[in-house]
């Protein structure tokens, strides 16, 4: 795990008026619940309107993000956990999830904060979940990225 080079939030952002949907998978609930808590903390601090929806797994994040944008969301925060196993399933799900979320963001012209953890083992997820003892808070980082990008897009579009 490398947090080297990660940006620091230099200033508090004001996302008042932005409508954000957090979409989270249900696998590995301790890790996922930590990711959700981090995302919600950032969205609340920025005064963004938000709601949480759950999907069965990471593969389903993209279609739910697409529906969120169709329903008027300004940004999505996608949170999931994919842990490597002994079969190629990890590579297929990781690639499909990443490609799907990228496509949804580009098609909508709106940001998807990418908080999908692709891990070799559960401990790596615990280290990134933003829970007590974690080294990183990827849920918070994904929400921050989604908000900042939504505000940039709003500025660019006038």
């Amino acid at each position: 795990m490398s947090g080297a080079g990660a940006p620091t939030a230099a200033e508090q952002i004001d996302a008042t008026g932005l409508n954000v949907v957090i979409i989270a998978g249900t696998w590995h609930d301790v890790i996922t619940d930590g990711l959700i808590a981090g995302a919600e903390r950032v969205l609340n601090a920025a005064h963004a309107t938000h709601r949480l929806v759950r999907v069965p797994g990471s593969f389903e994040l993209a279609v739910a993000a697409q529906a969120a944008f169709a329903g008027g969301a300004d940004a999505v925060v996608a949170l999931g956990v994919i842990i490597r196993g002994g079969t190629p399933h990890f590579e297929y799900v990781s690639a499909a999830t990443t490609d799907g979320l990228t496509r949804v963001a580009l098609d909508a012209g709106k940001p998807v904060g990418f908080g999908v953890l692709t891990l070799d083992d559960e401990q790596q997820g615990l280290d990134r979940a933003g829970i007590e003892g974690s080294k990183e808070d990827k849920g918070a980082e994904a929400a921050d990225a989604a908000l900042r990008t939504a505000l940039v897009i709003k500025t660019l579009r006038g």
Side-chain angles (χ1 to χ4, degrees):
M1 170 175 56
S2 175
T8 56
E11 77 285 340
Q12 177 61 40
I13 56 175
D14 182 5
T16 302
L18 288 184
N19 176 23
V20 181
V21 178
I22 301 168
I23 305 172
T26 56
W27 285 77
H28 307 285
D29 59 343
V30 171
I31 298 169
T32 305
D33 289 349
L35 295 171
I36 292 167
E40 288 178 333
R41 187 175 60 257
V42 166
L43 296 172
N44 287 333
H47 308 289
T49 301
H50 62 88
R51 69 182 179 128
L52 169 66
V53 296
R54 302 297 294 259
V55 294
S58 293
F59 186 81
E60 292 79 19
L61 292 169
V63 71
Q66 185 179 53
F69 287 138
D74 297 306
V76 164
V77 179
L79 306 174
V81 178
I82 308 169
I83 299 179
R84 185 180 306 279
T87 68
H89 184 257
F90 172 86
E91 283 79 14
Y92 299 139
V93 173
S94 297
T97 301
T98 302
D99 293 348
L101 289 169
T102 300
R103 177 179 162 197
V104 168
L106 292 173
D107 287 352
K110 297 179 180 182
V112 174
F114 191 82
V116 180
L117 304 183
T118 53
L119 313 166
D120 289 322
D121 56 51
E122 187 174 16
Q123 186 58 53
Q124 289 178 340
L126 295 170
D127 288 342
R128 293 177 172 101
I131 58 178
E132 187 174 339
S134 293
K135 298 172 183 142
E136 297 178 278
D137 188 345
K138 293 300 185 184
E141 290 177 23
D144 185 75
L147 289 179
R148 289 179 189 277
T149 306
L151 292 171
V152 167
I153 291 169
K154 186 176 179 181
T155 299
L156 291 171
R157 291 184 178 154

